[in-house]
Amino acid sequence: ALGFEGINYDLIYGLPYQTEATFGETLDKVFQLRPDRIALYNFAFLPERLAHQRTIDIDSLPSAETKFQIFLTAYERFLAEGYRFIGMDHFALPDDELSQAFDNETLHRNFMGFTTKAGTDLIGMGVSSISSVRNGFAQNVKKLTQYTKAIKKGRLATERGLMLTPDDEIRRQVIGDLMCRSTLDKRAISETFSINFNEYFAEELGRLEPFIIDGLIENREETIELSFVGRLLVRNVAMVFDARLQRNVAEGQRQTFSRTL
């Protein structure tokens, strides 16, 4: 009655003491309620950044192999129940707008996951939220007291921000295409940004060799295409094109993001 056209569930695998059997029980309940779309996220275990996670016994976390098996089992069950694999960690029923966006290649990815709202600004509300406006990002403070104080004074509660460089914008498009379309059109990138893709990304293309050997991707003259397994592990492929991440690795900085598996 309020105009909502779909329901989304966020499910998390890789939680402490979680097994394939216990996650299966969760899926039984999900399928009874049949949401329109499902996001299946890997548990982000970041004790270095999140103090409350330091109380978690590391031995209680499922192994990478167990987590991957949970994901594959869930994948098979989603498809059996009529859901489509949109990519990475999202599934949707055929009549959901996410499925339709995937078919007509208007799918977009932002901080919240896949969306049909490509080319629009994203305004984050509340503590720690992130906004994406044109070619810039801004994040609000993470503490509620600081947020409240700023709002009461009539100020934005922004803590930090970043303006994208031309190189950032090129890489954002490349990574977005890999995640949303499973195929990267080198010629389209070259024409859009007035570059020669193979020359501009010569170093990155060299680092893709292990993925080619493992059958995750095919690097063709005009395209880079993901295989089925490549679609599941597209984050790892996309990381190759993330120059900021590569610089952090080269400088020996500690990992500040969740594991991809």
Side-chain angles (χ1 to χ4, degrees):
L2 292 174
F4 290 99
E5 297 179 352
I7 299 295
N8 172 79
Y9 280 11
D10 283 358
L11 303 180
I12 301 177
Y13 66 99
L15 292 168
Y17 302 106
Q18 194 176 58
T19 66
E20 190 177 346
T22 60
F23 198 75
E25 294 173 4
T26 297
L27 294 180
D28 291 340
K29 297 173 182 176
V30 168
F31 295 141
Q32 288 176 7
L33 297 168
R34 202 167 176 78
D36 302 276
R37 65 179 72 163
I38 296 167
L40 181 59
Y41 293 126
N42 181 10
F43 174 51
F45 183 57
L46 297 169
E48 297 86 359
R49 294 179 57 187
L50 304 174
H52 67 278
Q53 289 191 353
R54 294 169 199 159
T55 62
I56 294 177
D57 180 3
I58 248 183
D59 293 331
S60 70
L61 297 172
S63 66
E65 292 78 9
T66 299
K67 286 197 295 182
F68 193 52
Q69 189 56 54
I70 290 174
F71 180 91
L72 288 179
T73 299
Y75 171 89
E76 292 171 354
R77 293 196 62 186
F78 287 141
L79 266 58
E81 291 289 333
Y83 289 86
R84 299 180 65 197
F85 178 49
I86 303 302
M88 291 179 66
D89 43 30
H90 278 55
F91 300 81
L93 292 173
D95 57 353
D96 185 79
E97 64 175 357
L98 212 58
S99 285
Q100 297 168 9
F102 179 79
D103 289 336
N104 58 33
E105 296 189 347
T106 58
L107 197 63
H108 179 65
R109 189 168 178 90
N110 59 26
F111 300 111
M112 303 304 295
F114 287 111
T115 173
T116 60
K117 304 295 188 284
T120 57
D121 292 333
L122 175 66
I123 307 298
M125 309 286 285
V127 292
S128 81
S129 63
I130 300 174
S131 299
S132 173
V133 181
R134 296 188 181 179
N135 64 334
F137 299 117
Q139 183 175 27
N140 285 343
V141 294
K142 301 180 182 66
K143 292 185 177 181
L144 181 59
T145 52
Q146 294 177 357
Y147 179 85
T148 304
K149 184 177 180 180
I151 297 302
K152 284 184 176 180
K153 289 185 176 181
R155 295 190 289 105
L156 294 175
T158 305
E159 179 179 51
R160 58 179 177 168
L162 176 71
M163 296 299 295
L164 299 185
T165 66
D167 179 63
D168 288 331
E169 295 189 51
I170 295 173
R171 293 175 184 276
R172 176 172 63 176
Q173 185 67 48
V174 169
I175 291 172
D177 285 353
L178 284 170
M179 291 181 170
C180 296
R181 302 188 223 307
S182 303
T183 298
L184 177 65
D185 188 335
K186 297 180 184 178
R187 183 171 53 184
I189 296 293
S190 297
E191 292 176 354
T192 300
F193 296 100
S194 300
I195 62 171
N196 181 304
F197 185 95
N198 288 331
E199 292 179 2
Y200 194 92
F201 290 108
E203 184 177 339
E204 286 79 3
L205 292 175
R207 290 203 298 269
L208 286 178
E209 194 61 30
F211 298 106
I212 297 173
I213 295 173
D214 289 340
L216 271 66
I217 65 170
E218 287 188 25
N219 181 21
R220 299 178 177 175
E221 182 62 29
E222 294 186 351
T223 61
I224 294 176
E225 300 187 16
L226 295 168
S227 66
F228 166 70
V229 178
R231 291 184 68 194
L232 296 182
L233 300 176
V234 66
R235 282 186 180 86
N236 300 73
V237 178
M239 284 178 175
V240 171
F241 293 95
D242 188 336
R244 294 177 182 271
L245 173 62
Q246 297 301 328
R247 283 197 295 270
N248 290 345
V249 172
E251 294 169 2
Q253 294 187 25
R254 297 181 66 183
Q255 176 175 294
T256 57
F257 51 87
S258 58
R259 291 178 175 84
T260 58
L261 184 62

